[in-house]
C-alpha cells in the first residue's frame, strides 16, 4: 500500500518544512551548494530516487526547472484567460522571479493547475501531491538555482530563504474527511481560523559550546528535536555533561500554531464543527488572523503524542496537524460577493485572484439551476420553498424572493450622476400572529449575509456604527452595527414600529444613499451599507383598523415608508375557504408522517438548494434591460399613473368644490418606477436571464399593484393614492382639509373651534386634520398660536378677519 | 451523554513492525483498542519504514453521565453492571468489557484518576463521572448531546488535550475504546417496558392523573395539563417544530427574599429553596428519568452559562446542553428585584429560544451553531412568567392555598405512592410519549370547518378571533389527550375534550386576571 510506504519514508525525512533547504543540499550531493551553478548534463545519467518513494531527484528538478522557464498561459485551457496573443506566449515565471527580486519578497506562488497543465512536466503534479515532503524542498532548490542565475549579484544567503508556495490543488478536502490515507500528502482544506498562538521562536539549528575547552558544534533539528550532545567532541577534552547551548548563535525561525475550524456550509445537520491544528512558519506567520476564512494548502502530518520520550516504546498515538505551504485568504462574507466588489479589493493571498469567496459552482450544479430556470412554474416553486411552513401569503413570499435576488446596482458613468441602489426594501405590516416574524427568520436563514435585529432592542448606534476604545491599545476603533454588517445582504428588522425615532432616522440615509456616516470622537467616516431591509411592523392599535389608512395605522413617518419598494399588509382576514385550508395545513403538521405530496402539487426546493441558487444568480447573472422591457416599463408606469386620473371623474362627486381641478391623487411616483425596474431585474435574475424581458416587467408591476392596492388605498375613497405613503395625506384628506380651512376662516371669533366645527360638519372632524388646519392657517398668517397641545390658544388675527 | 463529540482526533499505529537490529528478526505488535505504548526489550526497534505498519484514525468524544438523571433511573439501569464491575478488578493494564459510561474505578501506581472537568458538565456543582470514548469509525461518531450505550474496552489512559503541565500529565482518564455503540433515548433508562393494551393505558392514565391531582393540591385541571406536558415531545415537521408544549403554572407562592439570601452563600448548585416548588420538582423527579431544577435566582442567572461555549478552545457545557427528553423545571418564584446583567439576559434569551424553537445554540468561535433539541420546560411562577410559554395555567385557589401551606413548612399528609404504582406510572409516561400519532381526514375536516366557523362568528360579534396559534395549541392538546389514552388516531371525542379543556383554562385565566390585581400583593407582569 502506497500510503504506508511514503509515510514510512517520511519518518526518515521528518524535518520541518522550515529548514528543508539545508537538508536538501546534502541529499543532492556535495558538488552542488545551495544555489550553485547548473550541473545538469555534466554528470553521468544516474537515477537517484529518494528512498522509499518514486521521486527521482534529477527528473523532478529538471521538470520543474523546465516548467519555471517555459510555462506560458497558453498551456492553460483558453477560456480561463483573457490575454492577448503576445501575453499568451510570454513565460510567466521568469517575470515573477524578477518581481521577487525587485520587491525583495522571497516566495513564489505557483498555481498547481499550471503545473498539471504543462505537458512536459507530466507527473510532477502527482508526485508533488503524493510526496510533498520530498518534492517541495526540491522545488525550492530549483527556484534558488534559477534565481541565482537571473540575479548573480544577489546575496548567497538568500538561496536558503527562497520558497515555492504551491496552491490551488484540483480538489479541496473536507476537514471531516481527512484520514490516515492523506498522511504526508499535500492537501488543501478550507475553514475559518479561530485561534492563533503567539509567534514562537522555533530553533532550527542549535549552537553548542563546551564549557571546558570552547569546542563548538551545531546540531540541526531532527524529527522536531534538537539532540544536545552529551560529550565534548574535542578529542583532547571528551568531558561529559559540559556542553551548553549558546542562544544568540543558534538560529531560530518564527513558528505559529493556529486552529482551523470547519465553516457552517460543510457541517452536517446537528453536528458540531471539527477543527484541525495548522502550523505556519516564517513568512506565513500572521498571514491569517482569527476570523479569517482561508484555504490552506499544506502537508497533513501526524506527530506522536509524547507520553514519555525516554523509554523505548512503540508510540501508538499520533496527533495530526497540517504543515502549511500556502495560505489563501477567502472573502469574509457568507456566500455571495458582488463581482464588482471583488475586483476592487483584490486578492491579498493568492497570486492571480482567481475565485473569490464563494465555493465554486460545479458544472452539474449549474446545469441543474438552468433546468430549474426553464421551468415555467419557477417563481411559484421558489415562493413555496421559501419558508414552506408559512401558509399562503403567496405575494409576500414572491416579493421577499425578489428582494433576495436583488436588482442590479447601477453606477452611472457620467460624472456626478448618482448611484442607484439595486437593493429592494420590503415592509410587512399586519396583525399579530400572521407569521411575520417567521418570514423574517426564514429570510435571515437564506440571505447571503443577514442580520436579524428587533427594533425594540436596537439603538441607533447598534444599527449603524459606533466608536469605542479598544481595551488593549486604548485606541479609538470603529465597530460596525447591524446595517454595516449586512452590507450586501438582507437586514431583517422586526418590531420596526417599536423603534425609537432617533434610531429610525438613521435608516433614512441607509435606505436611499446606502451609506452610514459617522462623525464622532475624531473619526469621520462613511461606511457602506448596501443592504436591503426587510422590516416587520405592527399597526398602532395592535390590530389593523380598516377605517384608517396605512400611515394612520402604522406609526411611521411617511418619508421612511416611501423608501420601501414594497409594502405588504398582511391581515388576519376572515375568509372561510382560506381559514379552512389553513386549519388543514396546521392540523397536517401534527400528523407524524406527512402525507405524500399530491401529484398536482409543486415540487419543493430544499433551503440549501435555494440558497445556492440565489447565490449563483446574484453572482453570475447581471441582466440588462431590453428595449421591449423598457417599453413595457414605460407603459406600466404610465398605466399606474393613469390609475390616478381615470378614476378622477368617479371621485369628483365627493369633491364638488374641486370639480374642475384634478383630484390630485398620485398613484405612482418616480420612486415607484425605480422600484419597478429593480424588481424586474430581480425577476430576470431569478430566471437566470441576461436581459430583462417584458415578462419580468409584467410580474414586477403585478406585484407592485398588489402591494399598492393594499398599502396605498385610501380607506375613504377606496382608491390607490400614493400621496398617502409619501406625505401621509390622502387627496380626500386634502380636499377635506381645504373645506375645513375655509370654514374655519369664516368663523368670526375663536371659541372652541373644534366643537363648533363638529357641530357644523356632517362628519366628525378628526383632531389630526384639525391640527393640520391650524398649523397651515398659522403659517398663512391668519391665526397666531399661543401655547401648545390641548391648551393651545388660537388667536385670529384682525387683519385676517377683515377680508 | 456525549458532551463534546469532536474532542480530538488521534492517529493510531495499530500494527507496528518491530525489528531486532541484532538478529534481524521481525515481529508485529498490535495495539487496536488500547492506548498503552508497547515497551520494547533491548535491541528491538520500531521499523517506521516498513510497509506493514497500519495507521487507523479514531475520534475521541468526551462523555459525561446523563445530566439530571434521577436516582431511580440510575439505580435501575446500572445496578447489574456495577455489580459485575465489582467482581472484576480493573487495573490499568488488563482490559475488561464494560457496558456503561459511568463507572469509575481507581487504579494504583500513584496516578490520580480524573473525575471529569467541572466545566464540561452542564450542571455546576453536581457530582458526575466522565470518560473519553474513542470511536474507531469516525464517520459514525455520535452527535452532540445524544445519549449513547457503549460496549467497549475500558482503560485508564492519558488525555491528549490536557498535557500542558506535569500535574495534568499524571492524571489518568477513564477511556472506553468503543467496539460498538448505539444511540438510546431516555426512555431506555426506564427498566423493563412492557407493551400495554389500550385499556391498560386508560387505567394507568387515571392512576397518574389522580396522583398528579394530589401533588397539585386537588387542582384537577392543572393536573391534566401537567400530564399533557409530561407526555409532550417536539417533532420536526418540514421547518417547523411541532408538538412542543411548555407549561407555565401560575400561582405558586413566591419565596421569601430573606430565605433566599441565607442560601445564597451556600453553593452554585441548582436547587430549589422554595419548599413549594421543591415539592413539585420532587414529585416530577419521581416520574421522569431525567429532570433538572433551574431556580431563577439573579446570582445564578448572572453567573452560570446556559449555552455550550467553545469560544475559548474546549467545548464547555452550558446548562441547556441536556439529553433530549429532559424535563426542565424553572422556578421563577425566587426571582426578585435586582440587576440582571448582560450575561443573565443572554441566558434567559437562550432559555426562551429553546422554549419557542427547541434549539440550543452552540457558541463556536465566529460561527454559532444551532442544534435542535427536545426539552420539556415547566415554569413555576407566582404571576405570569417572564418567559413566553405555549400554555399558561392558573392554579385554582385551593391549590394556591395548598402550596402556601407547604411553603410555610406545615407538613402535608399525602400518602406516598406505592412503589409498584410509581413504576407503572413511569412506564406509562414513557410508552405513551412514544406513540405514533395520526389525524384522519374526516376529523381534520371537522376541525378546519369549526375553525373557520368560529372565526366567522367571532368576526360578526366583534369578539377576539381565534388565531393560528390558538388552533395549533388546541391541536397539540388534542394530540396529547389522545395519546394519553393510548390512542394513536385522533377521534372526535378527544378533539372535543381538548376544546373543553382549553375553554376551562381560558375561563380560569380571565377570572384570575380580573381577581388577582384586586386582591393586591401579587406581582403580575
Amino acid at each position: 500500500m502506497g500510503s504506508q510506504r511514503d509515510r514510512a519514508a517520511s519518518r526518515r525525512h521528518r524535518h520541518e518544512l522550515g529548514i528543508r533547504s539545508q537538508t536538501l543540499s546534502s541529499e543532492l550531493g556535495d558538488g552542488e551548494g545551495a544555489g550553485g551553478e547548473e550541473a545538469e548534463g555534466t554528470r553521468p545519467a544516474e537515477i537517484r530516487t529518494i528512498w522509499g518513494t518514486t521521486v527521482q531527484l534529477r527528473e523532478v528538478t529538471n521538470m520543474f526547472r523546465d516548467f519555471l522557464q517555459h510555462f506560458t498561459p497558453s498551456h492553460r485551457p483558453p477560456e480561463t484567460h483573457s490575454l492577448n496573443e503576445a501575453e499568451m506566449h510570454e513565460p510567466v515565471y521568469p517575470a515573477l522571479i524578477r518581481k521577487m527580486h525587485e520587491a525583495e519578497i522571497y516566495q513564489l506562488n505557483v498555481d498547481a493547475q499550471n503545473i498539471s497543465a504543462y505537458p512536459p512536466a507530466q507527473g510532477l503534479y502527482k508526485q508533488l501531491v503524493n510526496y510533498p515532503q520530498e518534492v517541495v524542498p526540491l522545488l525550492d532548490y530549483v527556484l534558488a538555482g534559477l534565481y541565482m542565475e537571473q540575479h548573480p549579484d544577489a546575496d548567497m544567503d538568500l538561496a536558503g530563504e527562497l520558497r515555492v508556495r504551491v496552491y490551488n490543488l484540483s480538489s479541496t478536502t473536507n476537514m471531516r474527511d481527512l484520514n490516515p490515507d492523506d498522511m504526508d500528502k499535500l492537501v488543501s482544506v478550507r475553514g475559518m481560523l479561530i485561534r492563533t498562538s503567539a509567534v514562537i521562536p522555533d530553533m532550527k539549528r542549535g549552537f553548542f559550546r563546551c564549557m571546558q575547552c570552547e569546542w563548538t558544534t551545531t546540531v540541526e533539528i531532527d524529527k522536531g528535536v534538537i539532540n544536545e550532545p552529551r560529550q565534548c567532541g574535542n578529542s583532547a577534552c571528551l568531558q561529559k555533561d559540559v556542553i551548553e547551548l549558546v542562544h544568540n548563535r543558534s538560529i531560530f525561525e518564527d513558528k505559529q500554531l493556529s486552529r482551523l475550524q470547519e465553516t457552517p456550509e460543510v457541517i452536517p445537520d446537528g453536528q458540531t464543527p471539527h477543527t484541525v491544528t495548522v502550523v505556519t512558519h516564517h513568512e506565513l506567520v500572521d498571514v491569517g488572523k482569527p476570523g479569517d476564512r482561508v484555504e490552506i494548502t499544506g502537508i497533513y502530518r501526524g506527530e506522536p503524542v509524547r507520553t514519555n520520550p525516554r523509554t523505548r516504546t512503540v508510540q501508538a498515538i499520533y496527533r495530526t496537524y497540517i504543515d502549511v505551504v500556502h495560505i489563501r485568504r477567502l472573502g469574509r462574507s457568507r456566500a455571495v460577493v458582488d463581482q464588482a466588489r471583488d475586483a476592487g479589493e483584490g486578492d491579498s493571498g493568492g497570486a492571480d485572484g482567481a475565485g473569490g469567496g464563494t465555493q465554486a459552482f460545479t458544472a452539474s450544479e449549474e446545469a441543474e439551476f438552468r433546468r430549474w430556470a426553464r421551468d415555467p412554474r419557477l417563481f411559484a416553486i421558489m415562493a413555496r420553498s421559501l419558508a414552506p411552513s408559512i401558509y399562503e401569503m403567496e405575494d409576500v413570499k414572491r416579493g421577499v424572493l425578489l428582494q433576495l435576488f436583488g436588482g442590479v446596482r447601477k453606477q452611472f458613468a457620467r460624472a456626478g450622476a448618482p448611484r442607484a441602489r439595486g437593493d429592494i426594501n420590503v415592509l410587512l405590516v399586519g396583525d399579530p400572529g400572521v407569521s411575520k416574524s417567521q418570514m423574517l427568520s426564514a429570510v435571515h436563514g437564506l440571505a447571503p449575509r443577514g442580520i436579524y435585529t428587533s427594533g425594540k432592542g436596537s439603538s441607533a448606534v447598534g444599527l449603524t456604527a459606533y466608536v469605542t476604545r479598544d481595551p488593549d491599545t486604548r485606541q479609538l476603533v470603529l465597530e460596525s452595527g447591524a446595517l454595516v454588517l449586512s452590507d450586501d445582504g438582507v437586514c431583517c428588522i422586526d418590531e420596526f414600529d417599536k423603534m425609537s425615532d432617533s434610531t429610525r432616522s438613521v435608516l433614512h440615509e441607509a435606505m436611499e444613499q446606502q451609506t452610514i456616516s459617522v462623525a464622532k470622537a475624531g473619526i469621520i467616516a462613511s461606511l457602506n451599507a448596501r443592504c436591503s431591509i426587510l422590516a416587520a411592523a405592527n399597526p398602532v392599535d395592535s390590530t389593523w383598523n380598516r377605517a384608517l389608512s396605512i400611515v394612520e395605522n402604522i406609526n411611521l413617518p411617511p418619508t421612511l415608508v416611501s423608501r420601501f419598494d414594497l409594502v405588504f399588509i398582511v391581515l388576519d382576514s376572515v375568509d372561510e375557504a382560506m381559514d379552512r385550508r389553513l386549519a388543514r395545513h396546521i392540523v397536517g403538521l401534527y400528523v407524524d408522517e406527512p402525507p405524500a405530496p399530491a401529484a398536482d402539487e409543486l415540487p419543493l426546493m430544499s433551503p440549501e438548494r435555494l440558497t445556492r441558487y440565489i447565490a449563483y444568480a446574484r453572482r453570475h447573472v447581471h441582466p440588462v434591460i431590453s428595449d421591449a422591457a423598457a417599453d413595457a416599463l414605460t407603459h406600466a408606469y404610465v398605466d399606474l399613473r393613469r390609475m390616478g386620473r381615470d378614476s378622477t371623474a368617479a371621485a369628483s362627486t365627493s369633491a364638488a368644490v374641486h370639480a374642475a381641478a384634478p383630484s390630485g391623487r398620485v398613484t405612482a411616483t418616480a420612486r415607484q418606477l425605480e422600484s419597478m425596474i429593480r424588481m424586474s431585474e430581480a425577476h430576470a435574475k431569478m430566471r437566470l436571464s441576461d436581459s430583462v424581458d417584458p415578462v419580468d416587467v409584467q410580474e414586477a408591476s403585478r406585484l407592485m399593484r398588489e402591494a399598492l392596492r393594499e398599502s396605498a388605498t385610501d380607506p375613504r375613497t377606496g382608491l390607490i393614492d400614493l400621496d398617502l405613503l409619501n406625505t401621509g395625506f390622502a387627496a380626500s384628506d386634502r380636499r377635506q382639509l381645504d373645506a375645513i380651512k375655509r370654514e374655519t376662516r369664516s368663523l368670526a371669533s375663536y371659541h372652541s373651534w373644534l366643537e363648533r366645527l363638529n357641530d357644523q360638519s356632517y362628519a366628525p372632524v378628526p383632531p389630526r386634520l384639525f391640527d393640520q388646519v391650524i398649523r397651515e392657517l398659522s403659517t398663512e398668517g391668519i391665526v397666531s398660536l399661543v401655547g401648545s397641545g390641548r391648551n393651545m390658544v388660537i388667536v385670529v388675527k384682525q387683519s385676517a378677519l377683515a377680508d | 451523554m456525549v458532551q463534546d463529540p469532536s474532542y480530538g482526533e488521534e492517529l493510531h499505529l495499530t500494527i507496528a513492525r518491530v525489528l531486532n537490529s541484532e538478529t534481524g528478526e521481525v515481529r508485529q505488535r498490535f495495539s487496536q483498542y488500547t492506548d498503552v505504548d508497547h515497551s520494547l526489550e533491548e535491541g528491538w526497534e520500531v521499523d517506521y519504514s516498513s510497509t506493514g505498519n497500519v495507521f487507523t484514525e479514531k475520534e475521541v468524544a468526551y462523555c459525561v453521565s446523563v445530566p439530571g438523571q434521577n436516582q431511580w433511573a440510575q439505580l435501575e439501569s446500572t445496578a447489574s453492571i456495577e455489580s459485575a464491575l465489582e467482581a472484576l478488578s480493573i487495573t490499568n493494564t488488563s482490559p475488561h468489557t464494560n457496558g456503561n459510561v459511568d463507572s469509575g474505578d481507581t487504579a494504583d501506581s500513584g496516578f490520580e484518576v480524573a473525575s471529569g472537568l467541572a466545566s464540561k458538565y452542564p450542571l455546576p456543582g453536581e457530582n458526575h463521572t466522565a470518560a473519553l470514548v474513542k470511536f474507531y469509525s469516525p464517520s459514525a461518531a455520535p452527535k452532540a448531546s445524544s445519549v449513547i450505550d457503549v460496549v467497549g474496552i475500558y482503560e485508564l489512559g492519558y488525555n491528549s488535550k490536557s498535557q500542558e503541565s506535569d500535574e495534568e500529565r499524571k492524571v489518568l482518564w477513564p477511556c472506553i475504546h468503543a467496539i460498538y455503540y448505539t444511540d438510546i433515548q431516555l426512555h431506555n433508562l426506564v427498566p423493563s417496558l412492557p407493551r400495554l393494551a389500550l385499556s391498560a393505558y386508560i387505567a394507568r392514565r387515571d392512576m397518574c392523573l389522580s396522583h398528579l391531582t394530589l401533588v397539585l393540591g386537588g387542582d384537577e385541571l392543572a393536573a391534566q395539563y401537567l400530564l399533557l406536558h409530561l407526555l409532550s415531545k417536539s417533532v420536526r415537521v418540514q421547518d417547523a417544530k411541532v408538538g412542543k408544549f411548555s407549561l407555565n403554572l401560575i400561582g405558586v407562592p413566591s419565596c421569601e427574599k430573606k430565605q433566599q439570601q441565607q442560601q445564597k452563600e451556600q453553593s452554585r448548585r441548582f436547587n430549589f429553596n422554595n419548599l413549594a416548588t421543591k415539592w413539585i420538582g420532587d414529585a416530577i423527579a419521581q416520574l421522569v428519568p431525567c429532570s433538572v431544577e433551574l431556580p431563577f435566582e439573579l446570582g445564578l442567572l448572572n453567573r452560570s452559562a446556559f449555552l455550550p461555549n467553545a469560544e475559548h478552545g474546549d467545548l464547555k457545557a452550558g446548562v441547556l446542553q441536556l439529553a433530549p427528553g429532559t424535563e426542565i423545571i424553572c422556578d421563577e418564584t425566587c426571582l426578585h428585584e435586582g440587576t440582571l446583567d448582560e450575561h443573565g439576559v443572554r441566558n434567559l434569551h437562550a432559555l426562551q429560544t429553546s422554549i419557542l424553537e427547541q434549539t440550543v445554540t452552540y457558541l463556536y468561535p465566529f460561527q454559532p451553531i444551532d442544534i435542535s433539541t427536545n426539552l420539556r420546560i415547566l415554569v413555576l411562577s407566582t404571576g405570569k412568567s417572564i418567559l413566553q410559554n405555549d400554555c399558561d395555567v392558573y392554579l385554582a385557589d385551593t391549590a394556591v392555598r395548598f402550596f402556601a401551606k407547604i411553603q410555610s413548612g406545615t407538613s402535608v399528609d399525602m400518602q406516598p405512592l406505592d412503589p409498584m404504582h410509581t413504576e407503572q406510572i413511569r412506564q406509562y409516561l414513557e410508552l405513551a410519549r412514544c406513540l405514533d400519532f395520526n389525524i384522519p381526514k374526516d376529523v381534520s375536516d371537522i376541525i378546519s370547518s369549526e375553525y373557520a366557523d368560529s372565526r366567522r362568528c367571532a368576526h360578526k360579534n366583534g369578539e377576539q378571533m381565534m388565531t393560528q396559534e390558538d388552533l395549533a395549541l388546541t391541536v397539540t392538546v388534542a394530540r396529547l389527550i389522545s395519546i394519553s389514552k393510548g390512542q394513536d388516531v385522533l377521534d372526535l371525542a378527544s378533539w372535543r375534550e381538548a376544546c373543553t379543556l382549553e375553554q376551562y383554562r381560558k375561563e380560569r385565566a380571565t377570572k384570575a386576571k380580573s381577581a388577582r390585581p384586586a386582591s393586591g400583593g401579587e406581582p403580575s407582569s
Side-chain angles (χ1 to χ4, degrees), chain A residues 569-581:
Chain A
I569 298 180
V570 195
L571 294 183
D572 193 7
S573 56
V574 180
D575 174 346
E576 184 160 352
M578 210 164 95
D579 284 347
R580 218 178 270 266
R581 261 181 303 169

Side-chain angles (χ1 to χ4, degrees), chain A residues 444-575:
Chain A
H444 175 232
L446 283 176
R449 248 209 248 198
I451 299 280
Y452 183 101
T453 65
S454 173
K456 234 182 197 167
S458 337
S459 63
V461 288
L463 279 177
T464 56
Y466 51 101
V467 177
T468 69
R469 212 170 263 282
D470 186 279
D472 298 329
T473 60
R474 307 298 302 156
Q475 288 203 322
L476 290 173
V477 286
L478 203 57
E479 296 265 352
S480 307
L483 285 173
V484 178
L485 285 178
S486 47
D487 187 21
D488 226 359
V490 179
C491 183
C492 303
I493 307 175
D494 209 350
E495 318 280 355
F496 196 59
D497 51 320
K498 294 176 189 65
M499 232 178 222
S500 70
D501 286 346
S502 60
T503 315
R504 238 185 269 138
S505 65
V506 305
L507 286 172
H508 282 100
E509 187 193 354
M511 286 177 70
E512 208 58 53
Q513 265 64 41
Q514 307 232 295
T515 54
I516 299 273
S517 305
V518 184
K520 62 179 105 158
I523 294 183
I524 298 166
S526 184
L527 303 169
N528 280 328
R530 289 165 289 188
C531 62
S532 15
I533 290 176
L534 175 62
N538 284 119
V540 174
D541 316 317
S542 85
T543 48
W544 188 265
N545 187 341
R546 266 153 224 278
L548 299 177
S549 69
I550 178 171
V551 180
E552 290 162 311
N553 257 315
I554 45 172
N555 185 22
L556 290 175
T559 44
L560 192 55
V561 175
S562 73
R563 283 175 160 82
F564 284 99
D565 298 75
L566 289 171
V567 180
F568 284 108
I569 298 180
V570 195
L571 294 183
D572 193 7
S573 56
V574 180
D575 174 346

Side-chain angles (χ1 to χ4, degrees), chain A residues 1 4-5 7-9 11 51 175-176 178-180 183 192-195 223 259 261-264 267 269-275 290-293 300-302 305-308 312-320 386-391 431-435 438 442 543 546 572-577 579-594 604, chain B residues 4-6 9-13 16 18 29 31 35-46 48-51 53-59 134 141-144 158 160 163 169 235 237-240 242-243 311-313 315 362 364-367 369 371 435-439 441 444-445 447-449 451-453 455-456 459 465-469 471-473 475-476 479:
Chain A
M1 284 165 76
Q4 283 143 22
R5 198 171 54 243
R7 186 173 318 117
R11 290 286 305 162
W51 186 63
M175 217 178 284
R176 220 164 262 274
L178 285 174
N179 62 34
M183 278 290 283
M192 182 185 270
L193 281 180
I194 53 165
R195 229 160 341 118
K223 297 179 189 175
R259 279 194 86 73
Q261 182 177 279
E262 276 181 316
T263 47
I267 303 171
D269 194 34
Q271 295 276 18
T272 47
H274 277 217
T275 55
D292 282 349
R293 279 166 186 253
Y300 186 58
R301 302 192 193 227
V305 177
R306 261 179 230 95
T307 43
N308 198 345
R312 305 165 57 78
T313 54
V314 178
Q315 292 185 349
I317 307 172
Y318 290 79
R319 246 188 304 219
T320 55
L386 178 78
S389 69
I390 302 176
Y391 198 61
D431 293 340
V434 286
S435 353
Q438 246 175 300
T543 48
R546 266 153 224 278
D572 193 7
S573 56
V574 180
D575 174 346
E576 184 160 352
D579 284 347
R580 218 178 270 266
R581 261 181 303 169
L582 187 126
R584 206 167 296 141
H585 175 76
I586 291 182
V587 173
L589 286 177
Y590 284 76
V591 180
D592 273 354
E593 276 171 53
L604 277 182
Chain B
D4 185 356
S6 28
E9 275 146 61
E10 283 172 357
L11 268 186
H12 193 263
L13 186 62
V18 289
R29 294 291 197 127
S31 52
D35 286 345
V36 177
D37 295 335
H38 283 288
S39 48
L40 296 173
E41 293 116 55
E42 198 59 46
W44 289 89
E45 225 171 80
V46 180
Y48 286 107
S49 58
S50 163
T51 56
N53 293 337
V54 174
F55 284 83
T56 46
E57 190 188 15
K58 51 190 173 184
E59 187 88 37
K134 305 199 170 181
K143 293 183 175 181
Y158 297 97
S160 56
Q163 291 253 332
R169 226 167 280 163
V235 187
V237 177
Q238 291 169 18
D239 59 347
V242 147
E311 272 164 8
H312 304 285
L315 181 69
Y362 286 55
Y364 278 91
F366 303 105
Q367 44 190 43
I369 289 171
I371 291 184
L435 284 179
D436 285 337
F437 182 70
N438 213 338
I439 300 179
K441 180 91 176 61
S444 121
D445 284 348
I447 295 174
S448 327
S449 50
Y451 173 68
D453 285 349
R455 277 174 65 89
R456 206 184 43 216
H459 184 65
M465 280 195 288
M466 194 174 179
T467 62
Q468 292 177 34
E469 276 91 26
L471 177 68
L473 181 62
V475 177
T476 313
R479 180 196 119 102

Side-chain angles (χ1 to χ4, degrees), chain A residues 75-372:
Chain A
H75 290 105
R76 287 290 293 273
E79 66 268 26
T80 53
H81 287 278
S82 52
L83 301 170
N84 60 35
E85 198 58 25
E87 283 170 320
M88 285 300 274
H89 296 287
E90 181 76 24
V92 175
Y93 290 102
L96 282 177
I97 292 175
R98 202 157 46 244
K99 267 190 206 154
M100 281 166 63
H101 180 67
E102 283 158 11
E104 301 191 338
I105 296 169
Y106 301 113
Q107 29 191 342
L108 178 68
N109 290 325
V110 175
D111 188 339
Q113 293 310 309
N114 287 347
I115 298 182
S116 72
Y118 185 62
Q122 199 76 52
L124 181 59
Y125 176 77
K126 209 166 166 190
Q127 291 206 323
L128 174 67
V129 171
N130 286 333
Y131 308 109
Q133 307 220 53
E134 292 74 26
V135 175
V136 174
L138 282 174
L139 302 189
D140 290 350
Y141 174 76
V142 174
L143 174 66
L146 275 179
Y147 185 83
M148 285 302 163
E149 250 170 62
Q150 277 193 17
H151 308 282
D153 53 330
D155 191 350
M156 281 298 274
D157 286 350
L158 277 180
E161 304 284 315
L162 292 169
R163 296 281 181 276
V164 174
R165 308 250 175 242
V166 184
Y167 72 102
N168 198 10
L169 300 186
S170 325
S171 63
T172 45
T173 317
N174 192 342
M175 217 178 284
R176 220 164 262 274
D177 300 333
L178 285 174
N179 62 34
D181 286 346
D182 295 321
M183 278 290 283
D184 295 319
K185 294 207 177 140
L186 203 59
V187 292
S188 157
V189 284
R190 284 204 172 118
M192 182 185 270
L193 281 180
I194 53 165
R195 229 160 341 118
T196 52
S197 71
V199 179
I200 309 162
D202 194 33
M203 193 186 290
K204 57 177 187 177
R205 192 187 296 161
F207 187 90
F208 293 95
R209 185 177 60 197
C210 172
M211 285 188 287
Q212 299 284 323
C213 63
E214 303 287 308
W215 173 80
T216 61
T217 182
T218 59
V219 182
E220 295 281 342
I221 191 163
D222 181 31
K223 297 179 189 175
V225 201
I226 294 207
N227 287 313
E228 186 186 341
R230 309 212 65 183
Q231 195 179 20
C232 180
N234 188 351
S235 53
C237 174
L238 285 180
Q239 289 264 22
K240 280 190 180 175
D241 297 328
V242 288
I243 308 289
E244 65 170 2
L245 181 68
V246 183
H247 278 277
N248 52 7
R249 293 200 58 186
S250 300
I251 294 173
F252 293 90
E253 193 180 51
D254 287 347
K255 175 183 170 184
Q256 193 172 37
L257 301 171
S258 321
R259 279 194 86 73
L260 193 69
Q261 182 177 279
E262 276 181 316
T263 47
E265 303 91 72
V266 295
I267 303 171
D269 194 34
Q271 295 276 18
T272 47
H274 277 217
T275 55
V276 65
T277 308
V278 294
V279 180
T280 49
H281 288 281
H282 216 67
E283 294 99 329
L284 293 179
V285 162
D286 271 342
V287 165
K289 302 204 170 32
D292 282 349
R293 279 166 186 253
V294 292
E295 180 183 303
I296 281 180
T297 309
I299 304 169
Y300 186 58
R301 302 192 193 227
E303 168 192 64
V305 177
R306 261 179 230 95
T307 43
N308 198 345
R310 300 255 171 224
T311 51
R312 305 165 57 78
T313 54
V314 178
Q315 292 185 349
I317 307 172
Y318 290 79
R319 246 188 304 219
T320 55
Y321 65 93
I322 294 177
D323 208 348
V324 180
V325 173
H326 184 273
I327 294 186
R328 174 151 65 151
R329 259 199 309 236
L330 304 173
R332 267 192 173 214
S333 73
R334 197 186 299 184
V336 217
V337 185
D338 266 1
Q339 203 94 47
R341 175 136 0 137
D342 270 7
E345 277 178 1
D347 199 320
S348 44
D352 58 6
T358 38
Q359 274 171 284
F361 293 92
T362 59
S364 66
E365 229 176 350
E366 221 166 291
E368 191 196 328
F369 291 155
R370 294 277 167 199
R371 208 168 52 243
W372 279 107

Side-chain angles (χ1 to χ4, degrees), chain A residues 641-659:
Chain A
R641 273 189 82 85
R642 203 182 297 135
M643 274 167 77
R645 219 168 303 137
D646 281 354
S647 43
T648 312
S652 57
T653 47
S654 66
V657 271
H658 277 251

